[in-house]
Amino acid sequence: MSNMSIGGKARHESIVDEVSSWLTRSADEVDHLLATDRRRIVAAIEELNNDARLGDANAYYRQQLLLSRIYQTTMQISYEPTAEGSALLHEVTRLLEVAMIASEDRWIEPGTLESAPTVPAEYLSWLKRLARNHRAFKHPYYTEFINRRAQREDLRTYVIQESLVDGRFDDFLALMQVGTSGPAKMEIANNFWDEMGNGNPESVHTHLFSKIYEVFDVRQEELEDALSASDLLSGNLAVLLCRYRHMYPESVGYLGMTEWLAPDRFRNVIRAWERLGLPDVGITYHRLHVTVDSQHAAGWFHNVVLPAARSDYMRRGIARGALWRVNSSSRHLDERLANTRFAAERSA
Amino acid sequence: MSNMSIGGKARHESIVDEVSSWLTRSADEVDHLLATDRRRIVAAIEELNNDARLGDANAYYRQQLLLSRIYQTTMQISYEPTAEGSALLHEVTRLLEVAMIASEDRWIEPGTLESAPTVPAEYLSWLKRLARNHRAFKHPYYTEFINRRAQREDLRTYVIQESLVDGRFDDFLALMQVGTSGPAKMEIANNFWDEMGNGNPESVHTHLFSKIYEVFDVRQEELEDALSASDLLSGNLAVLLCRYRHMYPESVGYLGMTEWLAPDRFRNVIRAWERLGLPDVGITYHRLHVTVDSQHAAGWFHNVVLPAARSDYMRRGIARGALWRVNSSSRHLDERLANTRFAAERSA
């Protein structure tokens, strides 16, 4: 590591700490900084983004950590003022978002989006084929590691790593359906209502998920430190796509692909759960998703993707979001697999 | 009108047109303006806000019109790029929001928020009493004008004026429930699911509302021109409160009060509908709300307000949001009443 990047690391930590410290101040208070500190802050964030782009792992981690903290202020209820809404905070957020978008776009094979068929039914088949042939589809992290090898501690790690998506899937759906209408709106709303246990508090998915946390004695305080850049990214991408109406097509692709991949993945989790004799709540939660998510994926393709696929803009965005999901998921699972004892044993 | 304000009017129209013209460009494109034009734009918006604050009716209208247009980009699905997410657009939005917040706060009688009881049950009684004694509670616009006098054309105007709230109430609920949990989340989700006709497409409230539009042959294109500053404000306030997590308490007060006031108001609308022999769909829609909203208001108070009312921060925010609603609603209805032929006849 060169001296420059050591200096870079300290600067990255310092700007992330600085912006994080705003989050519990009011937006008005933060915006009084604008006049004097704006340039310096923007420059520091641009440096962070630039270093992340050039492959600096620490910069990438800090970038995703900061975005994840900022997004928490937009996804959690606070009992005291937050900087949410601040113009300066939004400018920082936007720089991080634009960098993340550009980074995900670079992972898409050039020409892929352009090769999509224009007829909706053909487009849908093409999209499914793309996903079925992707490494993310039956990833060895699930089919081998989780299925056959994972121990109790590995499943504990797994549920922590999934927290930024599974722990708030209902809110992603609520956000992404804003502004939709007709069958698409009903499909997403139905999906949301399933997440809400169809009105039965004991069956609310996030409630079941929190019960799994109790099984493993996972505390909120330990979450942030336990998450890698890839864990953070997968939550950040979902928030990004659901919070903006102009990213509705990408959210359709991203969340649709997430639900489509879930049943097969969760079957492996259920087998691990049974193999290890862990408490039933984990089986209940994952089995629910195996049944319900297969129906949702089918409904999603029929009621959300197909009607939208008449528009060029929508087709491109849906495919882009779906590719962001499978690409980031397979990088994520490769990384997880490389970090398991299973991998350590194999390479020993 | 002084020369200064004639110049002001032209400048206000010009900045509103300019920012409106960004909305159909991409955020990245708009943000390239930042470096060179930011100061001029910020100054123009500040002038607009300042003139609105000093009582310039045109500036106030332009301010609310611009905010309403910006909010549309955050509440509607677009089939082409929009400027949503742009740092400069957010800075403009924030200036408009801060001005609107300050303006609503000035309508609250000093000392009111401070006089709220701290015990949750007493707080709730205090809040209801405040609303029951408020001019908005049984406003003559509903009890006299709509009930006894309104003609077909008046009801047409009425549904247009309600479009920015009734036409997207489901989305307000979806947004405001983000980050909640337990009974509060279930209460809001239940409410959302009722708006969605409990899964029956024909009973979706926004669908019924759009059927009412068909009765009166109301077109989307005529909406914007038909809306007054007060009509726009009532929609803008709802969007503001639902889009920010730190305004969750205010949204609880604002939407809770909206639902609490609805049944009595809608009974007057139903009487007008019956008196005029208008098509049944309007009766269906409003009758649904009379029944369902009374239940919702009760559930809202019990499951959303009471548990939150243990916190100082929440109590203050909920009361503030409720007061914003009753205050802005009574100004709004006073204005509507003054504009009716009924008022013209009385003063003649």
Side-chain angles (χ1 to χ4, degrees), chain A residues 27-28 31 34 38 73-82 84-87 90-91 94 98 170-171 174-180 185-186 189-190 192-193 196 199-201 204 243-248 308 311 313-314, chain B residues 27-28 31 34 38 73-82 84-87 90-91 94 98 170-171 174-180 185-186 189-190 192-193 196 199-201 204 243-248 308 311 313-314:
Chain A
D28 289 347
D31 281 339
L34 251 176
R38 191 174 153 265
T73 68
T74 72
M75 298 292 287
Q76 291 180 352
I77 304 289
S78 170
Y79 282 72
E80 50 198 29
T82 76
E84 184 198 26
S86 144
H90 180 75
E91 193 165 354
R94 190 66 196 160
V98 167
D170 44 16
D171 286 342
L175 284 171
M176 77 162 289
Q177 66 79 47
V178 170
T180 57
K185 189 176 195 90
M186 188 55 88
N190 242 308
F192 169 78
W193 191 236
M196 290 303 298
N200 174 9
V204 171
R243 77 193 294 243
Y244 291 124
R245 294 304 73 218
H246 73 283
M247 295 221 123
Y248 171 74
S311 138
Y313 179 78
M314 288 281 168
Chain B
D28 289 347
D31 281 339
L34 250 177
R38 189 174 155 266
T73 69
T74 73
M75 298 293 287
Q76 290 181 352
I77 305 288
S78 170
Y79 282 72
E80 49 197 30
T82 77
E84 184 197 26
S86 145
H90 180 76
E91 194 166 351
R94 190 66 196 159
V98 167
D170 46 15
D171 286 342
L175 284 171
M176 76 160 290
Q177 67 79 47
V178 169
T180 57
K185 191 176 193 88
M186 188 56 87
N190 243 310
F192 169 78
W193 192 236
M196 291 303 298
N200 173 11
V204 171
R243 78 192 294 243
Y244 290 124
R245 292 307 70 216
H246 73 282
M247 295 219 124
Y248 171 74
S311 138
Y313 180 78
M314 288 282 167

Side-chain angles (χ1 to χ4, degrees), chain B residues 227-259:
Chain B
L227 298 173
S228 71
S230 300
D231 297 327
L232 295 165
L233 174 77
S234 110
N236 287 342
L237 280 175
V239 178
L240 168 79
L241 300 186
C242 294
R243 78 192 294 243
Y244 290 124
R245 292 307 70 216
H246 73 282
M247 295 219 124
Y248 171 74
E250 281 82 358
S251 73
V252 168
Y254 191 91
L255 293 193
M257 210 38 84
T258 303
E259 293 214 312

Side-chain angles (χ1 to χ4, degrees), chain B residues 77-307:
Chain B
I77 305 288
S78 170
Y79 282 72
E80 49 197 30
T82 77
E84 184 197 26
S86 145
L88 181 55
L89 182 64
H90 180 76
E91 194 166 351
V92 167
T93 310
R94 190 66 196 159
L95 290 170
L96 297 170
E97 288 175 341
V98 167
M100 182 167 71
I101 291 170
S103 164
E104 286 313 305
D105 278 345
R106 279 192 297 273
W107 286 102
I108 297 178
E109 199 83 42
T112 312
L113 296 177
E114 294 69 19
S115 71
T118 55
V119 176
E122 289 170 26
Y123 169 80
L124 182 54
S125 305
W126 170 84
L127 196 64
K128 286 184 180 174
R129 205 163 49 236
L130 208 64
R132 273 204 200 92
N133 294 331
H134 199 282
R135 177 164 167 82
F137 186 59
K138 302 255 181 192
H139 196 283
Y141 170 77
Y142 281 101
T143 57
E144 293 296 319
F145 177 69
I146 290 285
N147 182 18
R148 299 174 206 273
R149 310 277 181 138
Q151 297 305 306
R152 185 190 162 94
E153 195 56 27
D154 300 314
L155 284 189
R156 184 179 192 275
T157 305
Y158 167 75
V159 298
I160 290 177
Q161 289 169 331
E162 293 294 307
S163 63
L164 290 179
V165 174
D166 283 12
R168 52 188 184 183
F169 208 78
D170 46 15
D171 286 342
F172 293 146
L173 294 167
L175 284 171
M176 76 160 290
Q177 67 79 47
V178 169
T180 57
S181 62
K185 191 176 193 88
M186 188 56 87
E187 184 65 39
I188 307 169
N190 243 310
N191 207 320
F192 169 78
W193 192 236
D194 272 337
E195 291 285 325
M196 291 303 298
N198 294 290
N200 173 11
E202 287 303 308
S203 307
V204 171
H205 293 200
T206 50
H207 171 76
L208 294 173
F209 195 75
S210 72
K211 290 265 175 197
I212 296 179
Y213 270 25
E214 286 171 26
V215 167
F216 292 121
D217 193 23
V218 176
R219 287 135 205 237
Q220 283 300 321
E221 310 83 72
E222 69 175 303
L223 287 186
E224 192 183 271
D225 286 345
L227 298 173
S228 71
S230 300
D231 297 327
L232 295 165
L233 174 77
S234 110
N236 287 342
L237 280 175
V239 178
L240 168 79
L241 300 186
C242 294
R243 78 192 294 243
Y244 290 124
R245 292 307 70 216
H246 73 282
M247 295 219 124
Y248 171 74
E250 281 82 358
S251 73
V252 168
Y254 191 91
L255 293 193
M257 210 38 84
T258 303
E259 293 214 312
W260 198 51
L261 294 174
D264 196 66
R265 291 179 170 188
F266 284 4
R267 271 187 213 105
N268 290 298
V269 177
I270 293 167
R271 278 194 287 268
W273 222 271
E274 289 171 341
R275 178 167 51 75
L276 296 164
L278 289 165
D280 277 352
V281 60
I283 297 182
T284 310
Y285 173 82
H286 289 99
R287 208 169 261 162
L288 251 177
H289 277 272
V290 169
T291 327
V292 160
D293 286 359
S294 328
Q295 295 160 2
H296 283 168
W300 196 273
F301 286 136
H302 189 262
N303 296 317
V304 185
V305 177
L306 271 185

Side-chain angles (χ1 to χ4, degrees), chain A residues 234-251:
Chain A
S234 109
N236 287 342
L237 280 174
V239 178
L240 168 80
L241 300 186
C242 294
R243 77 193 294 243
Y244 291 124
R245 294 304 73 218
H246 73 283
M247 295 221 123
Y248 171 74
E250 281 82 359
S251 73

